[in-house]
Structures are given as C-alpha cells and as structure tokens.
Amino acid sequence: MTTECFAPAKINLTLHVTGQRADGYHLLDSLVVFADVGDAITFTPAPEMSLKVDGPFSKGVPCDGRNLLWKAAELAGVTGHLTLQKNLPHGAGIGGGSSDAGALLRALDCDNAGLALGADVPVCSYGRAARMQGIGDVVHPVANMPRLFAVLVNSGAYVPTPQVFQALAQKDNLGQEDMPQHGMDFTQWLHRQRNDLQAAAITIAPDIGTVLAALAACDGQNLVRMSGSGATCFALFDTASAAQAAAHKLATAYPDWWVKPCVLS
Ligand code: C5P
C-alpha cells in the first residue's frame, strides 16, 4: 500500500542562538511553525530502494542514498519506492530535506526523531508548532498557536548553514522570552524576539537584505524576518487577502523570486 505524505515548509518565527557546544554545534531557542505549502511524498514498500524526484525545485536534488528522504526510510527500517515532488526551494532555511525526512518518519510512525539526519529533523518529524531548543533535539509542543497569514520569499540566494553560523558575531545571546499568555498580543511578543542568524546571513548574501526591504514595504505587513539560516524570508499579515495582495505585487515586481502566500500554524 502506498503512503502519501505532505512535507510542509518549516518557518522559524524566532531563532535565538544561545551558546555553542564543545563539538561546534550551536544551542538554539526557536519558535517553529509549519506552512500549508510544501513538498509531496509517496512511499510504496518494495524489496529495493528507489527515489524519483520531480517538481519545480527538483534540479540538483540527489535521487540516491545521499537524499535525506532515502536516509529517513533507512532509519525507519523500510525499503521501497519513494517519490518526491519538490515544490519548495532547498538549502533555503525552510526545512528542505529535513522536512521531507521528518514527514516520512512521522507517516511511518517511526519512534526515532531523526536527529542523526540533521538538527532540524526532530522538529520536522513532530510537524506542528513547537519551541525547539538544545541543538534542535529538544522539541516542546506549543498549544494554541494562532494561525498566521504570511508571504514567503526566496530570491534564489544560497547561504550554506555552517558558513552562517561561523559568521555569527555573538554566540551567547539571550534565549526567547516565554510565549505570551492567552490574550496578550502575539505579534508584539514576536517583535521583541529575533533571528540571530539574520545579520550574519546578510553579510554572506546581501540579497537577503533586498528581500527583507521589499517585504517591509508591503502594505499591511506586521513583521518581517528571515527563517532559519536563510535565505527565505517571511512577512506576516492580519488577513489572507492582505498576504495575497502583497504576494501578487512582489511576484509582479520580482518575477525571478519565489513568492508564496500561505497560512502558518
Ligand atoms: O544538522 P544540520 O545538517 O542541519 O546542520 C548543518 C550545519 O549547521 C552543521 O554542520 C553545523 O555547522 C550547523 N549547525 C550548528 N548548530 C545547530 C544546527 C546546525 O552549528 N544547532
């Protein structure tokens, strides 16, 4: 029987870097949510492994054991035929292969969260709003996450994650403030939090600054920030129609950019 799964874009609404371990990995404190846009995966059990990749971002995606989706199947102890429709830009701070791997682990009810596959895989295998700490291995579910209307934008800039961490000026920043209690303004709280990787990523790919400025100029945006180690950035809006209008304007002004209105939760 074929299992179908959806691998949503992962968005770091906040990403605080609070320290560095002796092995070089950084300690994080991040509020992670998931979008209603993402990659589509199927898995059909068979004696041999195979992987077919298509979709708008299939170029450059390995179709063999190097692919995190293939590695996730191995981790889950299954073999079979995988298909991956790559709708999301990869190496882009929105989950990429980690979300694909996490979605498959979740669909297969695997009890291994997949940390060995990457620091983002445990939160992606949880697949719902969460506060991520440690190096990504500590995942606290977040209840009552408000639905947020967003636009995601990627200019095509590529920033290798290790390089962004290396470019960090300060690695022992304050963690996230506790999330607001019911009734407090979530957006105001979000404004007081940060993505500590944003400034470092802009030094490597100045394009990210251009994307942030274009999002900041959109009518009705109430927060603009980079996700993960970049280069994808997002803006939040009060309504779906404001997000759609902003996405339409950006896609017209910057036809080479990937621009997606979506709902985050
Ligand atoms: O684990 P993942 O392959 O996603 O991480 C890519 C790179 O990002 C790591 O090799 C490391 O350089 C950096 N990283 C880090 N601290 C983390 C997560 C990632 O330094 N918590």
Side-chain angles (χ1 to χ4, degrees):
M1 207 184 76
T2 297
T3 303
E4 292 184 6
C5 41
F6 174 66
K10 167 228 70 168
I11 303 298
N12 301 88
L13 290 177
T14 69
L15 181 47
H16 297 220
V17 179
T18 60
Q20 188 172 26
R21 296 196 322 196
D23 64 2
Y25 269 82
H26 294 80
L27 297 172
L28 309 175
D29 193 0
S30 176
L31 177 59
V32 177
V33 293
F34 293 90
D36 61 352
V37 296
D39 296 340
I41 296 163
T42 69
F43 171 71
T44 310
E48 302 287 328
M49 284 296 297
S50 66
L51 169 60
K52 188 167 148 273
V53 184
D54 62 13
F57 289 96
S58 57
K59 195 168 164 231
V61 177
C63 297
D64 54 26
R66 290 169 297 166
N67 193 299
L68 277 186
L69 190 56
W70 186 300
K71 290 183 183 178
E74 287 176 341
L75 189 68
V78 297
T79 58
H81 181 55
L82 287 160
T83 67
L84 170 60
Q85 188 182 326
K86 202 79 201 143
N87 297 323
L88 299 178
H90 35 93
I94 53 173
S98 304
S99 185
D100 297 339
L104 185 65
L105 292 173
R106 185 167 68 252
L108 295 175
D109 283 330
C110 181
D111 54 16
N112 188 320
L115 180 66
L117 304 182
D120 272 348
V121 179
V123 77
C124 289
S125 66
Y126 176 61
R128 297 172 68 178
R131 183 174 182 175
M132 180 182 87
Q133 293 178 310
I135 63 162
D137 53 322
V138 181
V139 176
H140 303 284
V142 168
N144 306 322
M145 180 69 206
R147 267 161 50 92
L148 303 169
F149 302 104
V151 176
L152 311 181
V153 176
N154 187 294
S155 68
Y158 173 65
V159 273
T161 303
Q163 221 175 304
V164 179
F165 276 106
Q166 272 161 26
L168 264 181
Q170 190 169 337
K171 300 186 168 188
D172 56 348
N173 305 290
L174 281 179
Q176 213 176 254
E177 290 171 31
D178 283 339
M179 283 191 57
Q181 296 303 307
H182 187 68
M184 278 179 65
D185 189 326
F186 181 68
T187 310
Q188 276 177 21
W189 174 85
L190 264 186
H191 267 282
R192 295 197 303 273
Q193 318 309 311
R194 314 176 302 274
N195 180 339
D196 287 329
L197 298 179
Q198 187 171 299
I202 293 171
T203 63
I204 298 165
D207 244 24
I208 294 170
T210 310
V211 169
L212 288 165
L215 284 167
C218 288
D219 287 341
Q221 64 78 14
N222 47 41
L223 182 92
V224 169
R225 190 164 281 162
M226 187 181 82
S227 178
S229 58
T232 307
C233 300
F234 62 90
L236 301 182
F237 297 83
D238 283 336
T239 63
S241 59
Q244 274 153 11
H248 180 72
K249 228 170 145 178
L250 287 167
T252 307
Y254 303 95
D256 295 341
W257 288 3
W258 180 75
V259 178
K260 271 282 170 224
C262 64
V263 179
L264 306 176
S265 58

